[in-house]
Amino acid sequence: MKIIDAHMHLSHIKEFKRTAAEKSFVDYSVAGLLQEYAENGVVLGIGMGLTETQPDGFPDVEAVTPMGLDLTDELPPQFVYCLGINPFKLDETAVARLEAELQKPNVVGLKIYLGYYPFYAYDSVYDPVYALAAKYQVPVVFHTGDTYSERGLLKYSHPLTLDEVAVKHRDVHFMMAHFGDPWVLDGAEVVYKNRNMFADLSGLMVGDAANCKRLADSPLFFSHLRHAITYCDHYDKFLFGTDWPLAPVKPYIQFVQELIPAEYHEDVFYKTALKVFPKIKPLVE
């Protein structure tokens, strides 16, 4: 089975480097990720554009829109990415840069960091982003749920805030990163209700293989997640993602394989990504 990792990172973010060195113990480099992909049948990784202007600066109000993957100067063909949005740097010039970058074949979506930046998904500051997404038929990915920084503000990242956007922009595909965890039952309702809303299952565990196994084997740690996925009852609207480098690729694949019934594995690990990110089809088919 071919696998698409719909959510990973390759940026000079100090916290990512710290997590790789102290928690997940992955080789946080292009070569390290390519090796993990090759060993586990992952044919493509979709990176989330993100930068910081000083160490430990994210959420960085000075980062220039669009944010990209700055851990490497040249991406290998196994990697594509979504352009990261800083709403504090989203004037007409920035929107023009976004539109120019969307012409590149390896730019496949747009990423909004709810919770990290103090704006709701339905704030008018993001209207130009949704207009570009509709024009170029690329999805908008939202960070939702817990923030990987105590400077984040959780009220902005609750998954219910996406409902208004999904209703208003029916011609755009949206992906709810992290399924809104820990508010996954609310996230499930938004995905269930809106035909243009999808969710990735990334970032639900942080740590090395041993810690991932400990969490996955806990009788209660993922009970809320299993409840929400069952309630949603649309397995074809979920996408596999690792949020690498937060966890190694192999144990995360194993975790999602146990979470999702086997008959839906091909959808979650591959087919749904092709639907949500249409620009990747020529790269993997």
Side-chain angles (χ1 to χ4, degrees):
M1 180 180 68
K2 291 192 291 188
I3 296 174
I4 294 171
D5 181 355
H7 191 133
M8 59 79 166
H9 295 278
L10 274 174
S11 295
H12 278 298
I13 303 296
K14 186 67 174 291
E15 185 59 32
F16 288 158
K17 295 179 180 180
R18 185 181 297 117
T19 297
E22 300 176 3
K23 295 181 180 180
S24 63
F25 306 118
V26 302
D27 174 4
Y28 187 46
S29 67
V30 170
L33 184 54
L34 284 174
Q35 182 174 343
E36 288 197 58
Y37 279 0
E39 292 172 350
N40 293 283
V42 180
V43 297
L44 190 74
I46 303 175
M48 299 296 141
L50 187 62
T51 59
E52 58 186 9
T53 59
Q54 58 183 355
D56 288 318
F58 184 75
D60 191 336
V61 299
E62 297 301 325
V64 175
T65 296
M67 296 182 282
L69 308 181
D70 63 354
L71 195 64
T72 177
D73 292 329
E74 186 173 349
L75 286 178
Q78 295 93 329
F79 301 144
V80 295
Y81 64 105
C82 297
L83 301 172
I85 311 297
N86 174 2
F88 291 106
K89 303 286 186 179
L90 195 52
D91 57 13
E92 289 185 5
T93 302
V95 172
R97 288 196 299 267
L98 282 171
E99 184 160 20
E101 290 291 302
L102 283 170
Q103 314 302 316
K104 297 179 178 179
N106 62 350
V107 171
V108 300
L110 300 157
K111 175 68 184 288
I112 291 175
Y113 289 92
L114 301 179
Y116 292 102
Y117 293 112
F119 298 87
Y120 289 109
Y122 50 76
D123 194 293
S124 60
V125 70
Y126 291 125
D127 285 349
V129 177
Y130 304 142
L132 285 175
K135 181 177 179 179
Y136 291 97
Q137 289 296 287
V138 296
V140 176
V141 181
F142 294 108
H143 172 88
T144 59
D146 179 43
T147 58
Y148 206 55
S149 168
E150 64 180 11
R151 295 190 301 277
L153 295 173
L154 297 174
K155 69 177 183 179
Y156 296 104
S157 62
H158 196 286
L160 280 180
T161 64
L162 306 190
D163 183 49
E164 184 171 337
V165 176
V167 170
K168 186 177 179 180
H169 301 279
R170 287 297 188 195
D171 53 347
V172 176
H173 278 162
F174 297 103
M175 187 172 85
M176 179 191 300
H178 322 305
F179 197 22
D181 190 48
W183 304 294
V184 289
L185 195 56
D186 294 323
E189 173 58 23
V190 177
V191 173
Y192 168 81
K193 170 183 174 286
N194 295 291
R195 63 178 180 268
N196 56 335
M197 183 65 65
F198 299 79
D200 78 37
L201 299 173
S202 72
L204 302 173
M205 298 189 295
V206 178
D208 61 2
N211 194 54
C212 289
K213 186 177 188 307
R214 179 184 68 84
L215 295 175
D217 289 345
S218 168
L220 294 177
F221 193 83
F222 288 114
S223 60
H224 70 307
L225 184 58
R226 297 180 190 279
H227 178 192
I229 289 175
T230 303
Y231 168 80
C232 186
D233 198 29
H234 279 287
Y235 291 99
D236 60 335
K237 298 189 77 177
F238 292 105
L239 295 82
F240 170 76
T242 60
D243 214 8
W244 194 90
L246 272 60
V249 172
K250 183 176 182 178
Y252 212 91
I253 290 174
Q254 293 171 335
F255 159 64
V256 176
Q257 285 175 331
E258 294 178 5
L259 193 63
I260 301 295
E263 59 266 36
Y264 301 107
H265 281 185
E266 190 172 8
D267 287 327
V268 173
F269 284 95
Y270 186 75
K271 285 185 176 180
T272 303
L274 301 181
K275 182 188 305 182
V276 177
F277 296 92
K279 285 182 71 173
I280 71 175
K281 289 182 181 181
L283 305 176
V284 296
E285 289 188 331

